[in-house]
Amino acid sequence: MSNAVRVLVVEDEALICSFIVDALSDGGFEACSVHSGEAAMSTFRDGREQCRALLTDVNLGDGISGWELARQIREITPGFPVVYMTSASAPDWKSQGVVDGSLLIEKPFAPAQLAAAVSQLLDTGA
């Protein structure tokens, strides 16, 4: 089994999710991917995946948003590292009450940006 740090990836578009999983793998991380905020909360609460960071799209279609997902996870584990991804919701960053230990990456992004963002959060949070 790999010693790579596991990242919970939440992206509702399958092709983008595959791109993200590959990018994280190339950056030395292991991804646990789900396609909705509800599935992410279930995975997180279950704890079997033992993820150390969250990488979530902000707009996840029907159901809870990436903003809300991060709030719920941080109610359980304060300070949990979060990387938000968005193509249209970047201006909402400040109004969503995003706290320290978070970064926002605007789509489209280069694959290396994902691993760099997660690494930065884990290094500063350690």
Side-chain angles (χ1 to χ4, degrees):
M1 194 69 187
S2 171
N3 288 335
V5 171
R6 299 201 82 190
V7 178
L8 179 56
V9 175
V10 190
E11 171 58 62
D12 58 338
E13 296 184 37
L15 286 175
I16 296 173
C17 189
S18 178
F19 168 84
I20 292 166
V21 168
D22 290 346
L24 288 173
S25 178
D26 291 347
F29 294 97
E30 188 176 333
C32 170
S33 62
V34 295
H35 301 289
S36 73
E38 291 78 8
M41 277 310 301
S42 178
T43 299
F44 186 79
R45 280 191 184 116
D46 185 44
R48 286 183 297 154
E49 301 300 336
Q50 298 179 349
C51 295
R52 296 214 15 239
L54 171 67
L55 198 156
T56 183
D57 189 13
V58 169
N59 299 309
L60 295 170
D62 295 336
I64 65 173
S65 69
W67 304 125
E68 181 59 28
L69 170 63
R71 276 192 286 275
Q72 288 182 22
I73 285 177
R74 285 183 164 171
E75 285 176 9
I76 298 167
T77 307
F80 197 78
V82 178
V83 178
Y84 299 96
M85 303 173 291
T86 185
S87 57
S89 297
D92 297 336
W93 168 261
K94 298 282 187 203
S95 68
Q96 290 297 323
V98 176
V99 296
D100 291 338
S102 300
L103 293 172
L104 181 125
I105 298 176
E106 291 191 66
K107 296 176 183 178
F109 43 74
Q113 285 179 273
L114 296 173
V118 173
S119 291
Q120 179 182 340
L121 286 179
L122 292 174
D123 287 346
T124 59

